[in-house]
């Protein structure tokens, strides 16, 4: 579900032929109408062959419906605006939803859509809603830049103001184009971690994800993206940057905390760098992403939130079965991949077994999971426990009643939980800070 929301709320790059004679605002209004009406055939028929391979009809059909699962129904629309930036025509309109304000924008390159975006557009999205919102004099924050492979992402180092040798945690995002705060609904869990850990004597380094900073990526980049491009490479670059610079931290005690997909990639990160002192895996999938996708969509259907699932199920099962044929003559390269994933991304993950690779980690490793997490469930936690059983360097922690961002959630846990501002229990902060400080 998070992957689906990531597509809805950030990068949705389509290439649809529109009448270039219409004004930019008129074309933007038309695109939004097509989405709201779930007019999949009209939209899909205008897509390029490449984009038809990248995103399926059922994903187009449920986009608006899935967005409403989190933010509620549309209440009103604001005034449309238009601008031209770097040769692109952009139309934008604020949308007042039941549970928040969104900004819809669509970017045109000539007569084709180059991108569609839904982003939070209200005061609630701009402020941290946790009890640790005010940094105070005991916390010091420095704005930095993370550079990797020619890309440059905004970053923030947060540390105790009175300490110049604190242990430091690099926070690695989950799936989808995320900002450095991990903003989801009304919450900013990564910022909350940074501020509260600083008060506990631990520094953190967080950064905007590459796919967030460079949302307007070219077709050639998009078609060849890998999970290393999305996650692994920048995490390693962050550790190397902190280790070689003068940032007022203890460079011998740098840890990496991976959340969700970031946690899943911890074993590969550990293969490629010897610099971290240890690792933290928060809600890390132990099962293949395609298995989790099917599980999440079925879960939402069971709770009345994914009515299209019976129709989607057959298509997605066929797409997943095709992925299983990678490397054989039976693989159909033209068949769409689940969630519009490029072939390069699927190939990169095809041979990755995170549980086997994690068993090779000999540095301190903390594995955490919320017991009320429907995205990465306690079934995954049990798989990690079995795969890492008997390893003295591994600590397991689970938390009753907590969801994917370690906030208290309803029963059952649902996407709407993320629209409610919350806080992590102090036990979560204590476990992380105690682990990195060796307590």
């Amino acid at each position: 579900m998070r992957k689906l929301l990531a597509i809805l709320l950030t990068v949705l790059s389509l290439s649809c032929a529109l009448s270039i004679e219409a004004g930019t605002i008129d074309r933007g209004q038309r695109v939004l109408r097509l989405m709201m009406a779930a007019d999949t055939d009209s939209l899909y028929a205008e897509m390029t062959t490449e984009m038809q391979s990248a995103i399926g009809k059922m994903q187009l059909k449920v986009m608006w419906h899935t967005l409403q699962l989190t933010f509620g129904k549309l209440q009103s629309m604001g005034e449309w605006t238009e601008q031209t930036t770097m040769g692109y025509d952009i139309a934008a309109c604020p949308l007042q939803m039941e549970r928040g304000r969104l900004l819809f924008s669509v970017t045109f390159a000539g007569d084709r859509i180059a991108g569609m975006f839904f982003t939070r557009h209200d005061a609630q999205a701009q402020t941290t809603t946790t009890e640790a919102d005010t940094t105070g004099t005991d916390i010091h924050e420095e704005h930095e830049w993370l550079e990797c492979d020619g890309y440059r992402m905004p970053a923030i180092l947060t540390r105790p103001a009175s300490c110049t040798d604190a242990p430091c945690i690099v926070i690695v995002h989950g799936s989808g184009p995320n900002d450095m705060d991990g903003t989801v609904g009304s919450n900013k869990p990564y910022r909350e971690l940074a501020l509260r850990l600083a008060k506990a004597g631990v520094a953190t380094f967080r950064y905007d994800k590459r796919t967030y900073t460079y949302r307007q990526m070219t077709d050639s980049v998009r078609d060849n993206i890998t999970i290393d491009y999305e996650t692994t490479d920048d995490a390693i670059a962050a550790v190397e940057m902190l280790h070689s610079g003068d940032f007022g931290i203890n460079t011998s005690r740098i840890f990496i905390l991976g959340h969700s997909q970031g946690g899943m990639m911890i074993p590969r990160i550990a293969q490629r760098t010897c610099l971290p002192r240890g690792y933290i895996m928060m809600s890390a999938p132990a099962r293949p992403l395609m298995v989790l996708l099917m599980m999440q969509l079925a879960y939402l259907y069971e709770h009345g939130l994914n009515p299209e699932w019976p129709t989607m199920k057959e298509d997605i099962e066929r797409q997943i079965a095709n992925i299983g044929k990678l490397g054989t003559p039976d693989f159909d390269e033209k068949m769409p991949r689940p969630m519009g994933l490029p072939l390069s991304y699927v190939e990169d993950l095809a041979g990755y077994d995170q549980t086997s690779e994690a068993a090779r980690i000999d540095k301190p490793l903390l594995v955490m999971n919320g017991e009320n997490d429907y995205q990465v469930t306690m079934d995954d936690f049990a798989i990690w426990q079995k795969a890492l059983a008997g390893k003295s360097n591994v600590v397991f922690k689970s938390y009753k009643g907590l969801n994917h961002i370690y906030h208290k959630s309803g029963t059952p846990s649902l996407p709407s939980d993320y629209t409610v501002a919350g806080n992590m229990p102090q036990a979560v902060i204590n476990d992380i800070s105690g682990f990195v400080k060796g307590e």
Side-chain angles (χ1 to χ4, degrees), residues 289-404:
L289 290 183
M290 295 300 103
V291 174
L292 260 64
L293 171 64
M294 295 291 287
M295 179 269 294
Q296 291 172 14
L297 293 175
Y299 175 90
L300 294 173
Y301 174 71
E302 291 170 3
H303 293 91
L305 296 178
N306 187 19
E308 303 288 347
W309 174 237
T311 310
M312 297 171 62
K313 186 172 183 290
E314 185 176 341
D315 282 346
I316 296 179
E317 285 179 337
R318 186 169 60 251
Q319 293 168 3
I320 292 175
N322 186 51
I323 290 174
K325 300 174 185 177
L326 270 170
T328 74
D330 295 329
F331 176 70
D332 183 359
E333 187 172 336
K334 295 182 179 180
M335 180 180 290
R337 267 80 60 187
M339 308 313 301
L341 293 172
L343 178 59
S344 54
Y345 196 96
V346 173
E347 289 175 332
D348 191 21
L349 280 175
Y352 181 56
D353 182 349
Q354 57 266 41
T355 55
S356 296
E357 295 299 335
R360 298 169 56 186
I361 297 176
D362 57 6
K363 293 183 177 181
L365 173 62
L366 173 60
V367 181
M368 310 169 69
N369 221 99
E371 295 181 8
N372 206 24
D373 185 346
Y374 75 85
Q375 295 178 244
V376 180
T377 72
M378 291 300 289
D379 289 341
D380 292 272
F381 190 71
I383 294 172
W384 286 118
Q385 288 179 308
K386 181 177 180 180
L388 303 175
K391 291 181 65 67
S392 59
N393 62 306
V394 183
V395 177
F396 295 95
K397 295 283 185 179
S398 67
Y399 303 89
K400 186 176 180 179
L402 301 192
N403 61 16
H404 197 58

Side-chain angles (χ1 to χ4, degrees), residues 8-224:
L8 287 169
L9 296 175
T10 48
V11 178
L12 269 174
S13 295
L14 309 177
S15 296
C16 306
L18 298 175
S19 171
I20 196 167
E21 296 178 359
T24 301
I25 288 179
D26 291 336
R27 290 186 287 160
Q29 291 172 334
R30 176 178 178 274
V31 171
L32 184 58
R33 284 197 302 269
L34 286 175
M35 180 185 297
M36 293 174 64
D39 191 349
T40 306
D41 291 336
S42 297
L43 198 54
Y44 197 79
E46 295 174 345
M47 293 171 62
T48 64
T49 302
E50 292 77 13
M51 293 313 299
Q52 287 177 346
S53 299
I55 188 167
K57 284 188 176 182
M58 290 312 304
Q59 292 168 243
L60 286 173
K61 188 176 182 64
V62 300
M63 281 178 185
W64 182 254
H65 171 76
T66 306
L67 190 74
Q68 291 181 99
L69 293 181
T70 295
F71 295 100
K73 294 182 179 180
L74 176 66
Q75 302 296 296
S76 62
M77 299 173 60
E79 182 179 354
W80 282 84
T81 59
E82 60 180 308
Q83 62 175 308
T84 300
T85 303
M86 299 178 65
Y88 292 96
D89 295 322
I90 303 172
C93 179
L95 308 176
Q96 182 62 54
M97 312 297 284
E98 287 180 307
R99 296 188 292 272
R101 188 174 173 86
L102 301 175
L103 180 68
F104 170 72
S105 62
V106 55
T107 302
F108 300 98
D111 62 350
R112 296 184 179 273
I113 294 177
M116 294 190 335
F117 307 91
F118 286 95
T119 54
R120 288 300 298 266
H121 190 60
D122 52 17
Q124 189 178 43
Q126 302 302 319
T127 60
T128 304
T129 55
T130 71
E131 62 189 21
D133 187 44
T134 305
T135 57
T137 58
D138 56 341
I139 295 177
H140 178 74
E141 290 199 305
E142 298 175 8
H143 290 266
E144 307 286 350
W145 290 94
L146 174 62
E147 298 184 5
C148 181
D149 298 334
Y151 295 94
R152 199 164 183 254
M153 286 71 67
I156 291 181
L157 175 69
T158 306
R159 62 177 177 81
S162 60
C163 181
T164 57
D165 63 348
C168 184
I169 298 173
V170 174
I171 299 176
V172 183
H173 323 71
S175 62
N178 295 306
D179 64 16
M180 67 178 70
D181 295 335
T183 303
V184 54
S186 300
N187 298 284
K188 297 177 178 290
Y190 301 164
R191 175 167 173 77
E192 179 184 0
L193 275 175
L195 297 177
R196 294 179 65 184
L197 284 171
K199 291 178 180 293
V202 177
T204 56
F205 183 83
R206 67 191 196 277
Y207 52 93
D208 285 344
K209 201 169 179 180
R210 188 187 300 192
T211 49
Y212 177 86
T213 304
Y214 295 90
R215 295 185 290 276
Q216 298 283 12
M217 62 181 69
T218 64
D219 289 342
S220 61
V221 171
R222 185 185 302 106
D223 292 343
N224 293 282

Side-chain angles (χ1 to χ4, degrees), residues 1-6 175 178 182 184 259 296 375 404-405:
M1 182 67 184
R2 181 168 181 123
K3 177 69 74 174
L4 187 54
L5 286 175
S175 62
N178 295 306
V184 54
H259 176 236
Q296 291 172 14
Q375 295 178 244
H404 197 58
I405 60 172

